[in-house]
Amino acid sequence: MKVLAVLPPDDAIVNDLVRGIRVIEKRFGAETLTLAAEEDDHARYADIAGGRRLEKYVSGWTERGFNVIVYMLGLTPRMFKGASSAQRVYLFQTTSVIHPGRGPFILKHPEKYDEIEHPHIETHIFNRLSSRSWGFVNFPYGNLYMDPELGPVDSMGFRIAIDWRALADRDPDHKVVAIFGGSAAFSCLCMFDEMFATRLQERLDADRRRFRYTVLNFGMHDHVVIQEMMAYLLHASSVTPDIVLSHGGHNDCWYGLQDDTYLVSHCNLIYPRHAEEWSKFIHDTKNIATPPQFSCAVGETRNNIPQKVFKAYVTRKRQFKHMVESNGGTFLWGHQPVIWNRSHMTEWEKYIAQRNSGPFMRRLRTMMSRASDDLAAMQGLRLIDFTRVFAALGDDDDYMWDHVHASPAGDEVIARVYGDAILALEDGRWTEPTPWM
Amino acid sequence: MNILGLSFDYHDSAAALLCDGTIVAAGQEERFSRRKHDATFPDRALAFCLERAGLRARDLDAVVFYENTLEKLDRVVESFCETGDGYPEYLDYVAESWVAGRKFDPLNHIADRHGIPRDRIHAVSHHVSHASSAFFCSPFAEAAVITMDGVGEYETTTVSVGRGNHIEKLCATRLPDSLGLFYSAFTAFLGFEVNEGEYKVMGMAGFGKPIHADALRAIIDLTPDGLFRLDQSWFSFRCPRDLPYTPRMVERFGPPRQHESEFRCATGGRPPADAVEESCGRYADIAASLQLVTEEAILHIVASAMKRTGLDTVCIAGGVGLNSLANARVQRELGCRLFVQPAAGDAGSALGAALHHHCVTLGLPRPPPLVVPYLGAEHSDDAIKAECDRHNLRTRHIPDREALIRATVDLLEAGAVVGWMQGRGEWGPRALGNRSILANPTRADMQTIVNVKIKFREPFRPFAPSVVAERAAEFFEFAEPHSPSSPEHFMLAVGRVRPGQRARVPAVAHVDGTARVHLVRRDTAPLFYDLITAFGERTGVPVLLNTSFNLKGEAMVDRPWDALETFAWSEMDALVMGHHLLIREEFA
């Protein structure tokens, strides 16, 4: 397979390009990779290319003869100009600025996911009826998130590459760690080998003591606690996880501020806003004019007061904790980091923080910070507060890639802290507040 | 005769409705949309005005837009042709924004959007709208009428004489000579947002000394015709790219202040404690110099207008009219009777446009003077209760008026910060006791508490005192009010705290001893008046710290939900909405 990576004609951060080339090589094979750049850019890309071939890029010409073409994005969008039917074409964004929320690889040709891209695209009815493109929709069993471009996903969209159901019959010294949460747990900006679930597995394998661990990632883009519970009940409970990491907070705050007031304030129900589309679809009320607060435009409307949102979040998360503990598991309450926690921001992180400074985001920032304080004041949560972990990190790396998603470096920190926590539990060294805060 | 005035497409869009010569309603779109300085079509403000009057759009006899769009476009193109060489994309940028915003034809836009016959829609020029808003709301049969802002179509300052139903323009200054843009250029230089941070510059000025006044006087030439010229080598007003000033400003005054960077400043002759204070001292000196020279220019313009018209009654509108320090000097030093329209900026032009049509075009009798600035929306106790119920919040219902006042005074006396939402919302940018955050001014720490914990705004910014009119002179020095329409009733003139009284009201005395006094009368604001009176009976100080009910960077609250949300996100101790009291400890 011959692979061509076209370097961006605009400004891009060098470290991100270096990582990008490494990721492309890992996915498609280093020995087949050719780099190309506009002639004017060859000098500035000489170091990045290293020993690799760096060809002069001529649009529509250089691509000929390659099986896979990857157009790398800097900080400005790039037009895709078409390809032959035999070619697979991807964009590769070094950051998440151009296509927010998307991971590095974005399939452009073919236009729809095929079985090469998503081996489970024909496995069940909801996949078969899907649009076969990136996105997430709300289904009775939680969200179906279509993102196979970052590495293996299973038939339900979880980033799990093993036949985990067999773990129901595991040995007593074989422990299952199940991760739940939204896109930050899914690690939606990291490749499979970069996500904290993988890094945690490596960490626990490397420091093996009494127990062997298998880490399963049931994190799913957009999940709030209620959906974490559904994922636990519908899937993970069949293997009775020994340790549950519920890594979240952001989505419950984000959606909680916008959701229907009655459901949040009276019923402690926080849900992904787009779930409202179900009601419209099922009842064929699409054309009924709904008040703006019931539109699905996220990040604009504010319908609820933070105290009620926090109460709903904590109520449901305690319920999840109780469910896990009743089933014999240990529940770790992970409070995820956000960009505003970073006390010593890099230039990139400052840029991201600046982009997220409108009225809604200011409230989200305040809410995440208050939640950190309020959770710290509660007893017996087994809380791991990553807002404090990330506040203590220096400016030596970009630990956050957008306002809520960690970079591979950030995911490595998360994996390390969870690893320390799990080993502390194993050794009976767990104390609160946890020393890694 | 129902006449609607509208302003939109630049900043601070608004709607105002006159019914048979009475100002029935006026509202700024930002109060409804929650977007500060919202410039979009004021659909919500318009709907509010119609609802308040029980009208539908088709019941409107006339709709009047606040400026002449073609003239404005002509100015943009002319400016580009004359000075756009260095910024060839400027015209494209303007054209794109005008096309996207449908700005070329606002009159048809109004007709299409609300189904109003096109022949009922009119336009009046920008500064005529301003002038009408000032003169026809004033208590004066005749007056010198002065408008000062950034720019309208071409004009930036106008001087007119108003008599009865007529306003005759005497002279004007045109772009690029603009007092509003002069102040805004320095606002940007001092690290604040233009059209938003001008108040902050006024606050910052109190910390500095006007040591650069001579340098600024060299930039602004006060001409014998009663107007002024600006040395344009300092500014970029005609085709602005990024900054409204040229490198010359940086050469003369040093590096500009970083946007919203920390501001600490030595006061009272103390030396600066560190480098931050030292550099902030430099900015404060620039702000003080700017304020002084701006005041001098305004005094020059007003004095000349008074001389030219032979009148000692003066009406001011336009954004510069919100410079309350200058207003006070105008009254004090020129001995005039001054009226400043409470919404002196562009929002107020909606009212001016409607008034112009009523008084000038139709020649109908002028409305009575504007003495009650509460022209906004009102929400019933039932609506407030329903909103609290919707959020599953517990409230204390206190139906008895005296008991409500007593409970609020208890809280204020104990040092609580109280959100206060009553009756109709204010017209204009000042909170005048219906959408206010109130606190005890006798506590020295209250300024910091409200700035830092409640409003999350710059710690140096001062708060205004609301004081019962009869006892105001006991605490403050200010010009004798000529009528219930004088600027002090709209918080539009700064006075001084009497030297012997500063210790009694430390939280409302600015560092330079000034205070933006708000006189409260029982006939225009009975509940607020009684609240302050009761507070005075309890503490001996009939004064309350009063600031607008909003968070930093956000519009003032309008609906109960806005108040609840603002209360929830701040650290206010209590919220009084109508006859409902919410206490922080019992909240959620």
Side-chain angles (χ1 to χ4, degrees):
Chain A
M1 182 162 56
K2 292 180 69 180
V3 182
L4 174 70
V6 182
L7 294 163
D10 55 57
D11 288 340
I13 297 168
V14 169
N15 286 344
D16 295 338
L17 284 178
V18 170
R19 176 234 177 202
I21 292 167
R22 180 178 60 76
V23 168
I24 293 167
E25 284 178 336
K26 188 152 189 170
R27 177 163 180 181
F28 298 109
E31 66 282 0
T32 66
L33 181 66
T34 299
L35 301 178
E38 316 262 343
E39 194 164 20
D40 292 349
D41 296 325
H42 272 221
R44 71 185 174 107
Y45 283 140
D47 287 347
I48 291 171
R52 300 176 194 87
R53 241 173 88 199
L54 179 59
E55 287 200 352
K56 174 180 163 186
Y57 176 64
V58 180
S59 177
W61 178 262
T62 310
E63 288 93 341
R64 292 183 181 189
F66 287 96
N67 308 103
V68 174
I69 302 145
V70 184
Y71 296 100
M72 300 184 77
L73 296 178
L75 294 174
T76 51
R78 180 170 199 155
M79 297 300 289
F80 161 62
K81 291 179 182 165
S84 74
S85 58
Q87 291 177 317
R88 297 185 77 79
V89 178
Y90 298 85
L91 297 180
F92 183 97
Q93 58 171 354
T94 55
T95 68
S96 184
V97 170
I98 314 251
H99 301 282
R102 299 291 301 262
F105 284 105
I106 297 168
L107 180 68
K108 297 302 287 186
H109 184 81
E111 287 181 16
K112 301 289 184 185
Y113 293 149
D114 52 15
E115 285 190 298
I116 295 173
E117 203 66 26
H118 192 338
H120 297 285
I121 196 75
E122 300 287 348
T123 306
H124 61 78
I125 185 68
F126 292 125
N127 279 359
R128 281 199 297 279
L129 291 177
S130 74
S131 66
R132 295 166 190 254
S133 54
W134 184 91
F136 46 91
V137 283
N138 197 259
F139 280 112
Y141 53 77
N143 279 350
L144 177 66
Y145 181 34
M146 280 277 178
D147 193 352
E149 295 151 321
L150 306 181
V153 292
D154 72 4
S155 59
M156 308 306 294
F158 296 124
R159 301 187 81 175
I160 300 175
I162 61 168
D163 177 14
W164 55 274
R165 287 176 180 82
L167 292 169
D169 298 322
R170 66 189 178 276
D171 295 333
D173 67 343
H174 185 173
K175 305 291 183 188
V176 168
V177 177
I179 296 170
F180 296 86
S183 52
F186 189 95
S187 296
C188 73
L189 302 186
C190 296
M191 298 301 292
F192 191 90
D193 62 325
E194 296 170 329
M195 68 178 183
F196 81 76
T198 305
R199 308 304 290 266
L200 176 60
Q201 181 71 66
E202 291 167 359
R203 163 94 175 85
L204 295 173
D205 287 346
D207 200 4
R208 184 168 173 186
R209 299 175 193 182
R210 276 192 297 152
F211 301 126
R212 180 156 77 90
Y213 292 93
T214 296
V215 179
L216 302 176
N217 189 354
F218 292 98
M220 183 58 73
H221 201 95
D222 235 30
H223 272 190
V224 295
V225 174
I226 286 174
Q227 290 168 313
E228 292 179 34
M229 285 196 277
M230 287 168 70
Y232 177 85
L233 279 172
L234 299 177
H235 305 292
S237 64
S238 64
V239 294
T240 322
D242 301 283
I243 296 170
V244 163
L245 310 183
S246 174
H247 183 78
H250 170 275
N251 288 0
D252 284 79
C253 294
W254 168 275
Y255 283 122
L257 291 171
Q258 304 175 65
D259 281 349
D260 177 72
T261 300
Y262 182 84
L263 295 177
V264 172
S265 298
H266 294 257
C267 308
N268 296 322
L269 276 172
I270 296 172
Y271 56 93
R273 196 75 198 277
H274 53 87
E276 291 170 10
E277 294 297 327
W278 266 91
S279 188
K280 284 185 176 179
F281 180 75
I282 291 167
H283 300 295
D284 197 20
T285 52
K286 277 182 281 192
N287 298 325
I288 292 178
T290 49
Q293 65 264 33
F294 295 118
S295 79
C296 287
V298 292
E300 288 289 332
T301 52
R302 305 190 302 267
N303 292 327
N304 296 306
I305 59 174
Q307 291 83 351
K308 293 292 183 188
V309 174
F310 183 70
K311 178 170 168 281
Y313 165 61
V314 170
T315 300
R316 293 300 177 181
K317 193 126 169 174
R318 279 186 186 280
Q319 195 177 0
F320 186 21
K321 181 174 186 289
H322 180 70
M323 186 191 294
V324 170
E325 289 171 348
S326 300
N327 214 16
T330 298
F331 187 89
L332 298 186
W333 184 313
H335 188 52
Q336 71 187 97
V338 283
I339 187 79
W340 308 289
N341 303 133
R342 299 279 290 119
S343 311
H344 310 285
M345 290 188 192
T346 62
E347 288 305 311
W348 172 256
E349 289 169 326
K350 286 177 193 168
Y351 170 71
I352 291 297
Q354 175 62 30
R355 281 169 62 100
N356 290 284
S357 56
F360 185 87
M361 291 308 236
R362 283 204 303 272
R363 281 168 168 78
L364 189 66
R365 169 188 183 162
T366 304
M367 180 140 193
M368 289 296 285
S369 167
R370 282 187 191 171
S372 169
D373 293 341
D374 292 347
L375 291 172
M378 295 177 182
Q379 298 298 310
L381 295 187
R382 288 196 193 278
L383 174 70
I384 300 179
D385 187 350
F386 284 99
T387 69
R388 291 164 201 244
V389 173
F390 274 58
L393 296 172
D395 61 359
D396 54 313
D397 209 336
D398 300 322
Y399 290 100
M400 296 298 294
W401 261 359
D402 63 21
H403 86 274
V404 61
H405 300 116
S407 68
D411 258 27
E412 188 172 351
V413 172
I414 293 168
R416 176 172 55 75
V417 172
Y418 275 134
D420 288 348
I422 290 166
L423 294 175
L425 281 171
E426 180 182 326
D427 298 345
R429 291 183 287 107
W430 178 278
T431 55
E432 291 208 35
T434 44
W436 36 85
M437 280 165 38
Chain B
M1 177 63 66
N2 304 313
I3 305 170
L4 182 78
L6 292 176
S7 64
F8 57 90
D9 275 354
Y10 183 48
H11 56 83
D12 297 332
S13 62
L17 181 63
L18 283 180
C19 294
D20 297 327
T22 300
I23 305 169
V24 171
Q28 201 169 327
E29 185 69 4
E30 66 165 30
R31 305 288 167 86
F32 306 99
S33 70
R34 312 296 303 141
R35 284 194 292 270
K36 186 101 168 155
H37 301 303
D38 193 342
T40 59
F41 194 100
D43 284 314
R44 299 170 185 87
L46 187 156
F48 150 68
C49 288
L50 292 178
E51 187 186 343
R52 181 82 196 176
L55 300 176
R56 289 161 297 183
R58 65 176 182 229
D59 300 325
L60 294 170
D61 299 293
V63 179
V64 192
F65 185 59
Y66 83 123
E67 66 182 7
N68 186 323
T69 307
L70 288 181
E71 261 191 65
K72 186 171 169 178
L73 180 65
D74 191 54
R75 182 254 297 165
V76 170
V77 174
E78 184 185 299
S79 294
F80 176 76
C81 293
E82 290 180 6
T83 61
D85 291 352
Y87 186 11
E89 308 87 358
Y90 176 72
L91 210 52
D92 289 343
Y93 163 75
V94 171
E96 276 173 28
S97 115
W98 278 49
V99 169
R102 208 182 160 183
K103 295 181 181 179
F104 284 103
D105 191 3
L107 308 193
N108 273 319
H109 189 182
I110 294 166
D112 294 348
R113 206 164 175 117
H114 289 278
I116 300 166
R118 175 63 183 82
D119 60 1
R120 294 188 201 170
I121 301 171
H122 314 275
V124 63
S125 75
H126 188 102
H127 278 266
V128 169
S129 296
H130 274 317
S132 301
S133 79
F135 180 59
F136 295 127
C137 284
S138 79
F140 309 133
E142 54 181 12
V145 184
I146 296 152
T147 64
M148 297 172 282
D149 70 358
V151 62
E153 290 83 6
Y154 279 97
E155 292 165 340
T156 67
T157 299
T158 66
V159 175
S160 307
V161 59
R163 288 199 171 88
N165 274 33
H166 300 285
I167 298 174
E168 180 192 351
K169 187 165 72 181
L170 302 175
C171 58
T173 299
R174 290 159 66 102
L175 196 72
D177 296 304
S178 165
L179 202 51
L181 295 180
F182 171 72
Y183 205 90
S184 292
F186 280 93
T187 298
F189 183 86
L190 292 170
F192 300 114
E193 201 174 324
V194 169
N195 291 332
E196 164 66 16
E198 283 77 3
Y199 306 126
K200 301 177 188 178
V201 174
M202 271 192 279
M204 186 184 262
F207 289 86
K209 294 187 177 65
I211 58 174
H212 303 290
D214 283 342
L216 293 180
R217 286 184 186 113
I219 297 174
I220 185 164
D221 178 22
L222 305 180
T223 52
D225 60 357
L227 296 170
F228 61 94
R229 294 281 178 274
L230 293 177
D231 180 346
Q232 295 299 326
S233 65
W234 296 79
F235 306 108
S236 174
F237 292 154
R238 301 194 74 177
C239 296
R241 185 192 290 264
D242 299 319
L243 294 168
Y245 54 83
T246 65
R248 194 169 176 195
M249 190 98 94
V250 181
E251 287 164 20
R252 173 60 182 81
F253 296 109
R257 180 170 169 261
Q258 289 297 304
H259 181 62
E260 301 289 340
S261 59
E262 185 184 9
F263 181 83
R264 281 187 279 121
C265 207
T267 57
R270 286 187 295 109
D274 56 27
V276 174
E277 282 200 2
E278 196 168 325
S279 75
C280 289
R282 179 167 69 82
Y283 296 125
D285 289 342
I286 295 169
S289 309
L290 169 69
Q291 180 60 33
L292 176 66
V293 172
T294 302
E295 288 170 15
E296 289 171 358
I298 293 170
L299 284 166
H300 167 75
I301 295 165
V302 176
S304 303
M306 290 170 67
K307 188 175 175 188
R308 192 164 185 162
T309 59
L311 297 169
D312 71 345
T313 45
V314 175
C315 299
I316 293 180
V320 179
L322 295 171
N323 193 312
S324 45
L325 286 161
N327 292 342
R329 281 192 69 185
V330 165
Q331 292 187 105
R332 195 169 60 240
E333 296 180 25
L334 303 181
C336 64
R337 288 177 289 158
L338 176 65
F339 174 79
V340 182
Q341 207 264 116
D346 278 3
S349 300
L351 179 57
L355 285 166
H356 183 270
H357 193 78
H358 175 89
C359 299
V360 178
T361 308
L362 302 177
L364 295 169
R366 288 175 56 173
L370 181 67
V371 295
V372 179
Y374 311 109
L375 302 174
E378 184 172 24
H379 305 278
S380 68
D381 263 357
D382 285 347
I384 290 165
K385 176 75 166 58
E387 188 63 34
C388 294
D389 287 347
R390 209 165 72 81
H391 292 275
N392 201 13
L393 294 170
R394 201 146 50 98
T395 71
R396 298 185 198 177
H397 184 224
I398 309 176
D400 180 68
R401 188 175 184 276
E402 299 312 311
L404 181 75
I405 289 173
R406 227 173 15 251
T408 309
V409 169
D410 287 345
L411 289 162
L412 291 166
E413 187 188 14
V417 180
V418 178
W420 178 258
M421 176 177 165
Q422 303 290 342
R424 299 183 67 179
E426 292 88 346
W427 173 237
R430 304 285 190 249
L432 301 174
N434 278 11
R435 300 289 187 275
S436 291
I437 293 172
L438 306 174
N440 185 339
T442 67
R443 286 181 48 164
D445 58 348
M446 201 49 83
Q447 184 190 1
T448 304
I449 290 171
V450 179
N451 264 333
V452 177
K453 288 177 68 179
I454 309 296
K455 297 197 71 168
F456 309 110
R457 68 180 201 178
E458 300 80 357
F460 63 88
R461 292 179 63 186
F463 289 110
S466 288
V467 54
V468 292
E470 297 84 349
R471 291 190 61 189
E474 182 184 332
F475 293 87
F476 306 102
E477 297 167 357
F478 54 93
E480 181 68 23
H482 54 75
S483 76
S485 301
S486 62
E488 294 78 12
H489 294 101
F490 304 138
M491 209 188 274
L492 287 172
V494 167
R496 296 197 71 79
V497 183
R498 290 194 183 281
Q501 300 287 358
R502 283 191 70 165
R504 293 180 74 191
V505 287
V508 292
H510 196 28
V511 63
D512 58 358
T514 60
R516 201 168 57 202
V517 184
H518 170 214
L519 303 186
V520 182
R521 294 165 55 99
R522 192 161 204 287
D523 57 346
T524 56
L527 181 63
F528 193 43
Y529 179 95
D530 289 349
L531 177 73
I532 303 171
T533 302
F535 182 79
E537 285 165 359
R538 190 81 66 82
T539 63
V541 179
V543 181
L544 285 176
L545 180 157
N546 174 11
T547 184
S548 55
F549 196 159
N550 62 330
L551 300 176
K552 182 187 176 189
E554 297 186 5
M556 239 197 286
V557 303
D558 175 67
R559 302 166 300 168
W561 159 241
D562 306 330
L564 273 180
E565 203 214 8
T566 301
F567 178 64
W569 285 103
S570 75
E571 293 185 29
M572 268 182 267
D573 302 289
L575 171 61
V576 183
M577 288 195 291
H579 285 264
H580 291 276
L581 170 64
L582 288 90
I583 302 288
R584 167 72 54 196
E585 286 75 24
E586 301 167 0
F587 192 63

